[in-house]
């Protein structure tokens, strides 16, 4: 059985009351809202739900995603960014076995969790995505990796920037 989400409210994290106070102001100036589990789970999910209600485009990276975490319906998420390990966790697959078809896995995650777009990053193998129009792969740019810390956040930031410039996930 899966473990429930840990709805903690650590005093050092952004609190829901603070988010509620500032989100309407942010929504007047911003188009995109990005969040993840580096703040408390309940606050992150609340912020994204509320941001969607306010008309923002929601971008979600549920990292760090702990094995056994039970995720809720994510129909308020426009773009879900996960790595291959997180994809396996979400679908309760063995974490040490690579998926045979990551495009099919992204589609399954989209079907189960209802996020509008699901993007799975695959490190040096690029990424795959599943959108309303279907699934596709994107090749990685070859770079020399120095440290993988923050790679998912950097990838999400780059995609968000390209979307804000009028590109789509394929371009």
């Amino acid at each position: 059985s899966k473990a429930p989400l840990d709805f903690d409210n650590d005093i050092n994290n952004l609190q829901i009351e603070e988010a509620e106070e500032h989100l309407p102001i942010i929504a007047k100036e911003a188009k995109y809202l990005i969040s993840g589990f580096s703040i408390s789970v309940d606050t992150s999910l609340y912020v994204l739900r509320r941001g969607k209600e306010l008309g923002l485009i929601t971008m979600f990276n549920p990292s760090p995603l702990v094995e056994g975490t039970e995720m809720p319906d994510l129909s308020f998420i426009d773009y879900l960014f996960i790595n291959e390990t997180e994809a396996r966790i979400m679908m309760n697959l063995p974490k040490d076995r690579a998926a045979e078809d990551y495009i099919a896995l992204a589609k399954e995650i989209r079907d189960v969790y209802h996020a509008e777009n699901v993007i799975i990053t695959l490190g040096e193998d690029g990424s795959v995505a599943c959108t309303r129009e279907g699934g596709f792969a994107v090749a990685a740019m070859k770079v020399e990796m120095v440290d993988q810390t923050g790679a998912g956040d950097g990838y999400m930031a780059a995609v968000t920037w390209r979307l804000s410039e009028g590109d789509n996930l394929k371009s």
Side-chain angles (χ1 to χ4, degrees), residues 87-88 91 93 99 101-110 120:
R88 289 190 297 272
M91 297 309 296
L93 300 171
D101 183 347
Y102 281 106
I103 294 174
L105 183 56
K107 181 183 183 325
E108 187 176 357
I109 290 168
R110 185 175 184 274
I120 302 175

Side-chain angles (χ1 to χ4, degrees), residues 16-72:
I16 288 175
E17 297 79 17
E18 295 169 311
E20 185 57 44
E21 177 184 345
H22 295 285
L23 276 170
I25 299 165
I26 292 168
K28 289 179 183 176
E29 300 292 327
K31 184 175 181 179
Y32 296 88
L33 178 65
I34 298 173
S35 191
F37 287 166
S38 57
I39 62 174
S40 73
V41 171
D42 57 338
T43 301
S44 181
L45 295 172
Y46 175 84
V47 162
L48 289 161
R49 275 189 198 100
R50 185 70 176 114
K52 185 68 176 174
E53 291 170 2
L54 293 169
L56 294 166
I57 297 170
T58 54
M59 319 290 273
F60 182 39
N61 179 359
S63 181
L65 187 59
V66 179
E67 192 168 358
T69 298
E70 188 172 326
M71 295 290 287

